[in-house]
Amino acid sequence: MRLVLPTLYVILDAGMLTEPAGITAKKLMDAGVKLLQYRAKHATARELWAESRAIGEAAKRAKCKFIVNDRPDVAYLAGADGVHVGQDDLDPEQARQVIGPDRWVGVSTHSLEQFRQAAASSADYIAVGPIFQTTSKANPDPVVGTELLRRVRALTEKPIVAIGGITLERAADVVAAGADSVAVISDILKAQDPAEAAREFIRRLDAAKPAASH
């Protein structure tokens, strides 16, 4: 059965949070977010595990899928629903060996060739980006635009997550280009009211989603 992802995928970047990750996570889950990733590039393994475990327990109560960035070992030990790996991390098969067959492995891609490799792997979903200019990464990959999304859509049945500079105004265009889910960082975390921003994204994305996928 084809995996169906929620239309909004919020990435909790520890470097952008103004309060403990668990508090922001709970507000977002209360607002209806059903897919959440925790990214803490500078945390120690122990810190990442402790924070991930706390968020993961809250996510289970909220029926929200919880993903840990980069570290399949921490994701496994923290009881997360999956791990998301980049091109410089363990590849999807290595991550799968650590996290097991029953949890999700997502992978980031930035080109047609990387996407083809990910589509042939055991990854459960594939992220594509940056779609637009992004400020959430220190050294972002070149912008790929919605054009790459349109090209890769025909290559796989796996869910595609669009990421990179996606704002409320651009979200519907990204879904129209073929994304199943839209990953958002800055436009939610930097909003005056992140929970309200998440609600508005969910409204826009659900309205933009083709009726057949509901």
Side-chain angles (χ1 to χ4, degrees):
M1 202 166 101
R2 185 175 183 267
L3 175 64
V4 177
L5 295 182
T7 50
L8 177 63
Y9 185 162
V10 180
I11 298 178
L12 271 183
D13 188 310
M16 270 186 216
L17 299 177
T18 55
E19 60 188 357
I23 293 174
T24 303
K26 183 161 189 332
K27 288 177 183 174
L28 293 172
M29 290 186 279
D30 288 347
V33 171
K34 293 297 179 191
L35 180 54
L36 201 59
Q37 180 192 127
Y38 184 51
R39 183 166 89 181
K41 295 284 187 186
H42 304 297
T44 65
R46 183 179 288 277
E47 289 165 347
L48 182 60
W49 171 80
E51 201 72 79
S52 297
R53 193 169 175 205
I55 297 171
E57 285 171 358
K60 279 188 175 55
R61 290 192 292 273
K63 295 185 167 51
C64 171
K65 291 289 185 183
F66 174 58
I67 309 293
V68 173
N69 184 261
D70 287 354
R71 296 288 299 267
D73 54 341
V74 174
Y76 179 82
L77 291 171
D81 295 293
V83 66
H84 186 91
V85 292
Q87 291 295 316
D88 297 327
D89 302 317
L90 294 180
D91 69 34
E93 306 315 328
Q94 292 166 328
R96 174 76 64 207
Q97 284 182 358
V98 177
I99 205 163
D102 302 324
R103 302 195 216 186
W104 294 355
V105 173
V107 60
S108 292
T109 65
H110 314 292
S111 67
L112 189 60
E113 184 49 42
Q114 288 176 4
F115 189 93
R116 286 187 200 279
Q117 289 173 3
S121 77
S122 71
D124 296 285
Y125 71 83
I126 307 169
V128 176
I131 306 298
F132 306 109
Q133 290 264 276
T134 177
T135 57
S136 64
K137 279 204 164 180
N139 300 297
D141 289 275
V143 168
V144 299
T146 52
E147 184 52 42
L148 183 61
L149 265 182
R150 290 191 173 87
R151 290 183 71 188
V152 299
R153 180 66 279 176
L155 300 180
T156 187
E157 281 290 298
K158 293 180 182 185
I160 295 175
V161 177
I163 187 168
I166 298 170
T167 60
L168 201 52
E169 293 69 36
R170 293 163 160 172
D173 293 341
V174 174
V175 171
D180 296 278
S181 185
V182 172
V184 183
I185 308 171
S186 303
D187 225 43
I188 287 177
L189 297 187
K190 289 187 173 177
Q192 212 165 3
D193 183 344
E196 186 48 47
R199 283 190 199 96
E200 190 54 40
F201 262 100
I202 292 167
R203 281 194 284 270
R204 295 265 184 115
L205 289 167
D206 284 351
K209 205 79 178 125
S213 65
H214 277 295

